[in-house]
Amino acid sequence: MNIIIILSTFICLAFSQDPPAEPKIRWCLKSDQELRKCTDLFAKDFTCVKRDGSEECIKAIKDGEADAITLDGGDIYKAGLTNYDLHPIMAEDYGTDDSETCYYAVAVVKKGSDIKFSELKGKKSCHTGLGKSAGWNIPIGTLIARNLIKWEGIEDKPVEEAVKVYFSSSCVPGATKGSELCQLCKGDCSRSHKEPYYDYDGAFQCLKEKGDVAFVKHLTVPAAEKDQYELLCLDDTRKSIDEFKTCHLARVPAHAVVSRKDPELTKRITTLLLKYMTELPNMFSSDSYSAKNLMFKDSAKKLVPLPETTDSFLYLGAEYMSTIRSLKKELTTDSTSRAIKWCAVGHAETAKCDIWTVNSVDDGGNARVECQNGQSVDECIRKIMRKEADAMAIDGGQVYSAGKCGLVPAMVEQYDESKCTSGEETPTYYVVAVVRKGSGVTWETLKGKKSCHTGVGRTAGWNVPLGIIHKEKGECDFLKFFSQSCAPGADPKSNLCALCAGSGKGVGSEEVKCKATAEELYYGYAGAFRCLAEGGGEVAFVKHSTVEENTDGKGPQWASGLKSSDFELICPTGPAPVAVSDYKNCNWAEVPAHAVVTRPESRSEVVTVLKEQQVKFGGSDAQFKMFQSEGGKNLLFKDSTKCLLEVSNKKSYRDFLGTTYSAIMDSLRQCSSSISDLEKACTFHSCQQKA
């Protein structure tokens, strides 16, 4: 009996115990002042872990000895590299007009000095720290890009050696102690608050006491002192401190809280920081600790959670990544010697790409094209941003997304052979809606019909028709507008995938059903038309040449019995269908052709290799045919491509897409369901967005 009572007591105690408390968040600090602030304000929920500098904190988080830290863009880049694999989870928001989660990198000089940006050689410079955005990456990258600092690459010498020669003396906290880059410093030249000239306010203090120019952010100069200083503009003019929007070196992403890729840890950190923002009015102040920007920048107004899919590279943007890479460039004696890495989506494209690689080997035995594989276009865009791949050809809607991520159009497909020599820059095609002849389907009766789409996010098959449907009918819920669809790339469980066929091969067919790859039989232009012809669809959104390419004896085996006269086009402006040949008078939009996209700094290299490759493989009599596909349709390039034309390097992605199509895309983006996770991550802030 006593044993039963004892056991019962233990059981009751066990069930009455509170669940174990979650371990505290371990925040990494870089100085004694930061440690004191952390201990004073956050000790209830945080364990305060001190390390010697940002890099030691990054290592500690990677090794599980700490959980989080706020970092500048240069350190966010380092933390995102494969050996650390950390990612930003919350961004600082500075609450200023047009700034949001971005800030401006500026060059500040004393009023009355005769310094111009192009004449900084021999001057005394003050920097926030080695590898930091506003104080090092942006100004030094800009000076190198403009050939003001002469530097051949890291195989020649470290970039710091070139900077030493350019400035007469400097304070660059984090540089080698005892070097010219530490000559102006007041303390130990460490990248910490032990160095009085460290960080924004430190660099500004260095300018006041010793320097000729300070590279800082736009909010650094105190209001009471603004009339004593000016900004250096890139065009060699000068402007007042408050004119930073028109006189700056770059607009760069804000500092961000960085952690390991752990959804539960991210949720805990985010929840706690949001709670502290409401409970601690002095959370972003360092006034009590005889230093500035402790744990967070003092100018921060709040922290904003980032989209879950954000990584360091998406957060920083392609342009900023290009700047960082310019500081790590390798010395090359032959600018045409390196292969470009092409990103192929799915097995069929990868197989064609592998054949291209073999055929691209030059006389020296070096392949000019190498292959990377991605499961989707979005994954390939990520790989290009991370420099794991260099280029791919994509549809205009995907050019829009890639442009939002900072990539640029380098070459465009031309479908008219007569224009390959004339060099017409932006070829176009027409978006059409195809129905069976006599079906009775019109623009007015379209709602509730079964639809076939080339793919989610693609121009002819998705963006244009749904953009017009949204604009004219105010409809955003496309799941409900059509009764059933095949829209590769949509949720396989939704009715947007109900008509899709998969691979048609039995085993494994369901695995690729509704995937945005050539393995899905109803993917792409020919696939969407096939969905109409044999899959139960009542309307197919394709390009104007699709029906002609897959009827009357043309096209693959499945299309052998189809006649063009059995189909017609419906127009969003007229009630009556018309013949498929009348696409110029009955189309939904005229849109730009597919384009090759790449990183800004890789553009010229990609163009050089592709021009060389199409000379060898662009014709129908070549051993390998770049613009023809076996084992699928439109692999790597559209099969109707006759040549690739260079896109001017002065054209932004919006210039390339044109006003009309950009407006359609902007309208469609009012429907949140139309924005991919990739685009959400890239457009969280607009630091890298070009008009």
Side-chain angles (χ1 to χ4, degrees), residues 588-599:
W588 291 52
E590 185 178 5
V591 295
H594 290 202
V596 175
V597 294
T598 186
R599 297 179 302 281

Side-chain angles (χ1 to χ4, degrees), residues 442-444 569-578 585-586:
T442 67
W443 164 251
E444 295 301 331
L569 307 180
I570 60 172
C571 331
T573 53
V578 303
N585 296 314
C586 179

Side-chain angles (χ1 to χ4, degrees), residues 258-272:
V258 171
S259 184
R260 292 183 297 283
K261 291 183 178 178
D262 179 338
E264 282 304 312
L265 179 60
T266 295
K267 183 178 179 181
R268 288 173 53 216
I269 294 169
T270 302
T271 301
L272 282 173

Side-chain angles (χ1 to χ4, degrees), residues 133-300:
S133 296
W136 182 264
N137 293 340
I138 295 299
I140 302 307
T142 303
L143 288 165
I144 290 171
R146 291 176 169 244
N147 207 30
L148 294 169
I149 291 180
K150 311 293 183 185
W151 184 53
E152 296 300 323
I154 56 174
E155 293 177 17
D156 176 37
K157 59 188 174 186
V159 68
E160 293 91 328
E161 295 296 320
V163 177
K164 284 179 193 175
V165 176
Y166 186 72
F167 296 112
S168 61
S169 59
S170 306
C171 178
V172 185
T176 304
K177 293 174 185 176
S179 75
E180 291 91 333
L181 295 183
C182 289
Q183 198 171 325
L184 286 188
C185 290
K186 201 171 186 178
D188 63 359
C189 195
S190 65
R191 234 184 69 153
S192 75
H193 292 102
K194 294 181 207 170
E195 169 52 63
Y197 291 165
Y198 168 65
D199 211 3
Y200 303 104
D201 293 275
F204 177 59
Q205 192 64 30
C206 165
L207 170 65
K208 289 174 71 172
E209 296 176 0
K210 298 180 182 180
D212 296 316
V213 60
F215 299 109
V216 291
K217 67 183 174 77
H218 68 286
L219 298 171
T220 301
V221 181
E225 300 178 56
K226 285 181 180 179
D227 60 348
Q228 300 170 46
Y229 297 90
E230 289 181 316
L231 302 176
L232 296 184
C233 311
L234 291 174
D235 63 0
D236 272 352
T237 60
R238 294 159 69 117
K239 290 191 176 179
S240 72
I241 297 297
D242 288 328
E243 292 181 274
F244 54 83
K245 289 182 186 176
T246 55
C247 181
H248 56 264
L249 308 185
R251 194 161 173 240
V252 296
H255 290 204
V257 177
V258 171
S259 184
R260 292 183 297 283
K261 291 183 178 178
D262 179 338
E264 282 304 312
L265 179 60
T266 295
K267 183 178 179 181
R268 288 173 53 216
I269 294 169
T270 302
T271 301
L272 282 173
L273 289 174
L274 291 174
K275 181 190 81 166
Y276 274 114
M277 280 191 322
T278 62
E279 295 178 358
L280 286 178
N282 60 338
M283 177 173 168
F284 301 114
S285 171
S286 304
D287 290 345
S288 304
Y289 301 96
S290 66
K292 293 282 190 180
N293 303 311
L294 301 177
M295 297 184 67
F296 310 98
K297 273 162 67 173
D298 293 349
S299 54

